[in-house]
Short mmCIF file of all heavy atoms in Angstrom, two decimals:
data_model
loop_
_atom_site.label_atom_id
_atom_site.label_comp_id
_atom_site.label_asym_id
_atom_site.label_seq_id
_atom_site.Cartn_x
_atom_site.Cartn_y
_atom_site.Cartn_z
N ALA A 24 -16.33 -17.27 -62.99
CA ALA A 24 -17.36 -18.02 -63.70
C ALA A 24 -17.57 -19.36 -63.02
O ALA A 24 -16.64 -19.96 -62.53
CB ALA A 24 -16.92 -18.21 -65.13
N LEU A 25 -18.79 -19.86 -63.03
CA LEU A 25 -19.12 -21.13 -62.38
C LEU A 25 -19.64 -22.13 -63.40
O LEU A 25 -20.55 -21.84 -64.15
CB LEU A 25 -20.20 -20.92 -61.32
CG LEU A 25 -20.85 -22.18 -60.75
CD1 LEU A 25 -19.88 -22.93 -59.86
CD2 LEU A 25 -22.10 -21.84 -60.01
N LEU A 26 -19.02 -23.29 -63.42
CA LEU A 26 -19.52 -24.37 -64.28
C LEU A 26 -20.60 -25.12 -63.53
O LEU A 26 -20.43 -25.43 -62.36
CB LEU A 26 -18.40 -25.35 -64.59
CG LEU A 26 -17.37 -24.91 -65.61
CD1 LEU A 26 -16.24 -25.94 -65.67
CD2 LEU A 26 -18.00 -24.75 -66.97
N PRO A 27 -21.69 -25.45 -64.18
CA PRO A 27 -22.69 -26.29 -63.52
C PRO A 27 -22.05 -27.62 -63.12
O PRO A 27 -21.12 -28.07 -63.78
CB PRO A 27 -23.75 -26.48 -64.60
CG PRO A 27 -23.56 -25.35 -65.54
CD PRO A 27 -22.09 -25.04 -65.50
N PRO A 28 -22.52 -28.25 -62.04
CA PRO A 28 -21.91 -29.50 -61.58
C PRO A 28 -21.89 -30.55 -62.69
O PRO A 28 -22.80 -30.64 -63.48
CB PRO A 28 -22.82 -29.95 -60.44
CG PRO A 28 -23.72 -28.83 -60.15
CD PRO A 28 -23.67 -27.86 -61.28
N SER A 29 -20.83 -31.32 -62.70
CA SER A 29 -20.67 -32.47 -63.60
C SER A 29 -20.73 -32.10 -65.08
O SER A 29 -21.05 -32.94 -65.91
CB SER A 29 -21.76 -33.52 -63.32
OG SER A 29 -21.74 -33.87 -61.98
N THR A 30 -20.45 -30.87 -65.42
CA THR A 30 -20.48 -30.47 -66.82
C THR A 30 -19.06 -30.41 -67.35
O THR A 30 -18.24 -29.68 -66.82
CB THR A 30 -21.12 -29.07 -66.97
OG1 THR A 30 -22.40 -29.11 -66.39
CG2 THR A 30 -21.22 -28.67 -68.43
N PRO A 31 -18.74 -31.16 -68.41
CA PRO A 31 -17.40 -31.05 -68.99
C PRO A 31 -17.18 -29.63 -69.49
O PRO A 31 -18.12 -28.97 -69.94
CB PRO A 31 -17.43 -32.03 -70.16
CG PRO A 31 -18.64 -32.88 -69.96
CD PRO A 31 -19.58 -32.11 -69.10
N VAL A 32 -15.95 -29.16 -69.41
CA VAL A 32 -15.65 -27.77 -69.78
C VAL A 32 -16.14 -27.45 -71.19
O VAL A 32 -16.70 -26.41 -71.43
CB VAL A 32 -14.13 -27.52 -69.66
CG1 VAL A 32 -13.78 -26.14 -70.20
CG2 VAL A 32 -13.70 -27.65 -68.21
N PHE A 33 -15.99 -28.38 -72.14
CA PHE A 33 -16.37 -28.07 -73.51
C PHE A 33 -17.87 -27.97 -73.71
O PHE A 33 -18.34 -27.51 -74.73
CB PHE A 33 -15.74 -29.06 -74.50
CG PHE A 33 -15.98 -30.50 -74.17
CD1 PHE A 33 -17.11 -31.16 -74.61
CD2 PHE A 33 -15.07 -31.20 -73.39
CE1 PHE A 33 -17.32 -32.49 -74.30
CE2 PHE A 33 -15.27 -32.53 -73.08
CZ PHE A 33 -16.41 -33.19 -73.53
N PHE A 34 -18.69 -28.39 -72.72
CA PHE A 34 -20.14 -28.23 -72.79
C PHE A 34 -20.64 -27.15 -71.82
O PHE A 34 -21.82 -27.01 -71.63
CB PHE A 34 -20.85 -29.54 -72.45
CG PHE A 34 -20.71 -30.58 -73.51
CD1 PHE A 34 -20.10 -31.79 -73.24
CD2 PHE A 34 -21.19 -30.36 -74.79
CE1 PHE A 34 -19.97 -32.76 -74.21
CE2 PHE A 34 -21.08 -31.32 -75.78
CZ PHE A 34 -20.46 -32.52 -75.49
N ALA A 35 -19.73 -26.43 -71.23
CA ALA A 35 -20.09 -25.47 -70.19
C ALA A 35 -20.89 -24.30 -70.74
O ALA A 35 -20.66 -23.85 -71.85
CB ALA A 35 -18.83 -24.94 -69.52
N VAL A 36 -21.82 -23.84 -69.93
CA VAL A 36 -22.58 -22.64 -70.24
C VAL A 36 -22.18 -21.61 -69.20
O VAL A 36 -22.30 -21.86 -68.01
CB VAL A 36 -24.09 -22.90 -70.18
CG1 VAL A 36 -24.86 -21.61 -70.38
CG2 VAL A 36 -24.49 -23.95 -71.19
N LEU A 37 -21.71 -20.47 -69.65
CA LEU A 37 -21.31 -19.43 -68.72
C LEU A 37 -22.53 -18.80 -68.08
O LEU A 37 -23.51 -18.51 -68.76
CB LEU A 37 -20.55 -18.32 -69.45
CG LEU A 37 -19.07 -18.51 -69.60
CD1 LEU A 37 -18.47 -17.33 -70.34
CD2 LEU A 37 -18.40 -18.67 -68.27
N LYS A 38 -22.45 -18.62 -66.78
CA LYS A 38 -23.51 -17.93 -66.07
C LYS A 38 -22.86 -16.94 -65.12
O LYS A 38 -22.20 -17.32 -64.18
CB LYS A 38 -24.38 -18.91 -65.29
CG LYS A 38 -25.18 -19.82 -66.19
CD LYS A 38 -26.11 -20.70 -65.40
CE LYS A 38 -26.89 -21.59 -66.34
NZ LYS A 38 -27.82 -22.45 -65.61
N LYS A 39 -23.05 -15.69 -65.39
CA LYS A 39 -22.48 -14.64 -64.55
C LYS A 39 -23.27 -14.59 -63.25
O LYS A 39 -24.50 -14.56 -63.26
CB LYS A 39 -22.59 -13.30 -65.29
CG LYS A 39 -21.97 -12.15 -64.55
CD LYS A 39 -20.48 -12.18 -64.69
CE LYS A 39 -19.89 -10.90 -64.15
NZ LYS A 39 -18.46 -10.89 -64.25
N ARG A 40 -22.57 -14.63 -62.14
CA ARG A 40 -23.21 -14.59 -60.83
C ARG A 40 -22.42 -13.69 -59.90
O ARG A 40 -21.22 -13.49 -60.09
CB ARG A 40 -23.26 -15.98 -60.20
CG ARG A 40 -24.09 -16.99 -60.97
CD ARG A 40 -25.58 -16.70 -60.82
NE ARG A 40 -26.38 -17.72 -61.47
CZ ARG A 40 -27.04 -17.54 -62.60
NH1 ARG A 40 -26.98 -16.39 -63.23
NH2 ARG A 40 -27.74 -18.51 -63.12
N LEU A 41 -23.10 -13.16 -58.92
CA LEU A 41 -22.45 -12.47 -57.81
C LEU A 41 -22.36 -13.47 -56.68
O LEU A 41 -23.26 -14.29 -56.50
CB LEU A 41 -23.27 -11.25 -57.37
CG LEU A 41 -23.48 -10.18 -58.42
CD1 LEU A 41 -24.41 -9.10 -57.88
CD2 LEU A 41 -22.17 -9.58 -58.85
N VAL A 42 -21.28 -13.43 -55.93
CA VAL A 42 -21.14 -14.36 -54.82
C VAL A 42 -20.80 -13.60 -53.55
O VAL A 42 -20.23 -12.52 -53.58
CB VAL A 42 -20.05 -15.44 -55.08
CG1 VAL A 42 -20.45 -16.34 -56.22
CG2 VAL A 42 -18.70 -14.82 -55.33
N LYS A 43 -21.20 -14.20 -52.44
CA LYS A 43 -20.94 -13.60 -51.13
C LYS A 43 -20.58 -14.73 -50.18
O LYS A 43 -21.34 -15.68 -50.01
CB LYS A 43 -22.19 -12.87 -50.65
CG LYS A 43 -22.02 -12.20 -49.29
CD LYS A 43 -23.30 -11.46 -48.91
CE LYS A 43 -23.17 -10.79 -47.57
NZ LYS A 43 -24.40 -10.09 -47.20
N LEU A 44 -19.42 -14.62 -49.57
CA LEU A 44 -18.96 -15.60 -48.59
C LEU A 44 -19.39 -15.13 -47.21
O LEU A 44 -19.04 -14.04 -46.77
CB LEU A 44 -17.43 -15.73 -48.66
CG LEU A 44 -16.79 -16.71 -47.70
CD1 LEU A 44 -17.29 -18.14 -47.94
CD2 LEU A 44 -15.27 -16.65 -47.83
N VAL A 45 -20.20 -15.97 -46.54
CA VAL A 45 -20.64 -15.66 -45.18
C VAL A 45 -20.31 -16.88 -44.32
O VAL A 45 -20.91 -17.95 -44.47
CB VAL A 45 -22.16 -15.38 -45.12
CG1 VAL A 45 -22.61 -15.09 -43.69
CG2 VAL A 45 -22.53 -14.23 -46.04
N VAL A 46 -19.32 -16.73 -43.47
CA VAL A 46 -18.79 -17.78 -42.60
C VAL A 46 -18.39 -18.98 -43.47
O VAL A 46 -17.35 -18.95 -44.10
CB VAL A 46 -19.74 -18.14 -41.45
CG1 VAL A 46 -19.05 -19.09 -40.46
CG2 VAL A 46 -20.22 -16.90 -40.71
N ASN A 47 -19.21 -20.04 -43.52
CA ASN A 47 -18.85 -21.20 -44.32
C ASN A 47 -19.88 -21.49 -45.42
O ASN A 47 -19.99 -22.60 -45.89
CB ASN A 47 -18.63 -22.43 -43.43
CG ASN A 47 -19.86 -22.83 -42.66
OD1 ASN A 47 -20.82 -22.07 -42.56
ND2 ASN A 47 -19.85 -24.02 -42.09
N PHE A 48 -20.61 -20.47 -45.82
CA PHE A 48 -21.55 -20.57 -46.94
C PHE A 48 -21.11 -19.62 -48.05
O PHE A 48 -20.81 -18.46 -47.79
CB PHE A 48 -22.98 -20.18 -46.52
CG PHE A 48 -23.70 -21.25 -45.77
CD1 PHE A 48 -23.68 -21.27 -44.39
CD2 PHE A 48 -24.40 -22.24 -46.45
CE1 PHE A 48 -24.35 -22.26 -43.67
CE2 PHE A 48 -25.07 -23.23 -45.75
CZ PHE A 48 -25.05 -23.25 -44.36
N LEU A 49 -21.11 -20.12 -49.27
CA LEU A 49 -20.86 -19.28 -50.43
C LEU A 49 -22.21 -19.12 -51.14
O LEU A 49 -22.70 -20.04 -51.79
CB LEU A 49 -19.83 -19.93 -51.36
CG LEU A 49 -19.41 -19.10 -52.56
CD1 LEU A 49 -18.69 -17.83 -52.10
CD2 LEU A 49 -18.52 -19.90 -53.48
N PHE A 50 -22.83 -17.95 -50.93
CA PHE A 50 -24.13 -17.66 -51.55
C PHE A 50 -23.90 -17.15 -52.96
O PHE A 50 -22.93 -16.43 -53.20
CB PHE A 50 -24.88 -16.59 -50.74
CG PHE A 50 -25.33 -17.07 -49.39
CD1 PHE A 50 -24.54 -16.83 -48.27
CD2 PHE A 50 -26.54 -17.74 -49.25
CE1 PHE A 50 -24.95 -17.29 -47.02
CE2 PHE A 50 -26.95 -18.18 -48.00
CZ PHE A 50 -26.15 -17.95 -46.88
N TYR A 51 -24.79 -17.51 -53.88
CA TYR A 51 -24.68 -16.94 -55.21
C TYR A 51 -26.01 -16.35 -55.65
O TYR A 51 -27.07 -16.81 -55.27
CB TYR A 51 -24.11 -17.92 -56.23
CG TYR A 51 -24.72 -19.29 -56.30
CD1 TYR A 51 -25.68 -19.60 -57.26
CD2 TYR A 51 -24.33 -20.30 -55.42
CE1 TYR A 51 -26.23 -20.86 -57.35
CE2 TYR A 51 -24.88 -21.58 -55.50
CZ TYR A 51 -25.83 -21.85 -56.46
OH TYR A 51 -26.38 -23.10 -56.54
N PHE A 52 -25.88 -15.27 -56.42
CA PHE A 52 -27.01 -14.42 -56.79
C PHE A 52 -27.00 -14.18 -58.29
O PHE A 52 -25.94 -14.12 -58.90
CB PHE A 52 -26.88 -13.03 -56.13
CG PHE A 52 -26.74 -13.03 -54.64
CD1 PHE A 52 -25.54 -13.37 -54.03
CD2 PHE A 52 -27.80 -12.66 -53.84
CE1 PHE A 52 -25.41 -13.34 -52.65
CE2 PHE A 52 -27.67 -12.62 -52.46
CZ PHE A 52 -26.48 -12.98 -51.87
N ARG A 53 -28.17 -13.98 -58.87
CA ARG A 53 -28.23 -13.43 -60.22
C ARG A 53 -27.80 -11.98 -60.11
O ARG A 53 -28.01 -11.35 -59.07
CB ARG A 53 -29.65 -13.54 -60.79
CG ARG A 53 -30.02 -14.96 -61.12
CD ARG A 53 -31.32 -15.02 -61.94
NE ARG A 53 -31.61 -16.39 -62.29
CZ ARG A 53 -32.40 -17.20 -61.59
NH1 ARG A 53 -33.00 -16.77 -60.50
NH2 ARG A 53 -32.58 -18.45 -61.99
N THR A 54 -27.24 -11.45 -61.16
CA THR A 54 -26.68 -10.09 -61.08
C THR A 54 -27.72 -9.02 -60.82
O THR A 54 -27.40 -7.96 -60.31
CB THR A 54 -25.91 -9.74 -62.37
OG1 THR A 54 -26.80 -9.90 -63.49
CG2 THR A 54 -24.69 -10.61 -62.53
N ASP A 55 -28.99 -9.30 -61.11
CA ASP A 55 -30.03 -8.29 -60.96
C ASP A 55 -30.98 -8.57 -59.79
O ASP A 55 -32.03 -7.95 -59.69
CB ASP A 55 -30.82 -8.17 -62.26
CG ASP A 55 -31.45 -9.51 -62.69
OD1 ASP A 55 -31.06 -10.56 -62.14
OD2 ASP A 55 -32.34 -9.48 -63.56
N GLU A 56 -30.63 -9.52 -58.92
CA GLU A 56 -31.52 -9.88 -57.82
C GLU A 56 -30.81 -9.77 -56.47
O GLU A 56 -29.62 -10.03 -56.37
CB GLU A 56 -32.04 -11.31 -58.00
CG GLU A 56 -32.94 -11.46 -59.22
CD GLU A 56 -33.46 -12.88 -59.41
OE1 GLU A 56 -33.30 -13.71 -58.50
OE2 GLU A 56 -34.02 -13.14 -60.47
N ALA A 57 -31.59 -9.41 -55.45
CA ALA A 57 -31.03 -9.24 -54.11
C ALA A 57 -31.01 -10.53 -53.30
O ALA A 57 -30.20 -10.70 -52.40
CB ALA A 57 -31.82 -8.18 -53.34
#
Side-chain angles (χ1 to χ4, degrees):
L25 168 72
L26 284 173
S29 305
T30 304
V32 173
F33 52 88
F34 289 119
V36 175
L37 273 180
K38 293 185 180 180
K39 183 78 170 179
R40 297 287 184 253
L41 299 175
V42 295
K43 180 178 179 180
L44 180 61
V45 179
V46 188
N47 61 346
F48 282 94
L49 185 64
F50 292 94
Y51 50 98
F52 304 76
R53 288 191 177 94
T54 56
D55 57 346
E56 294 180 11

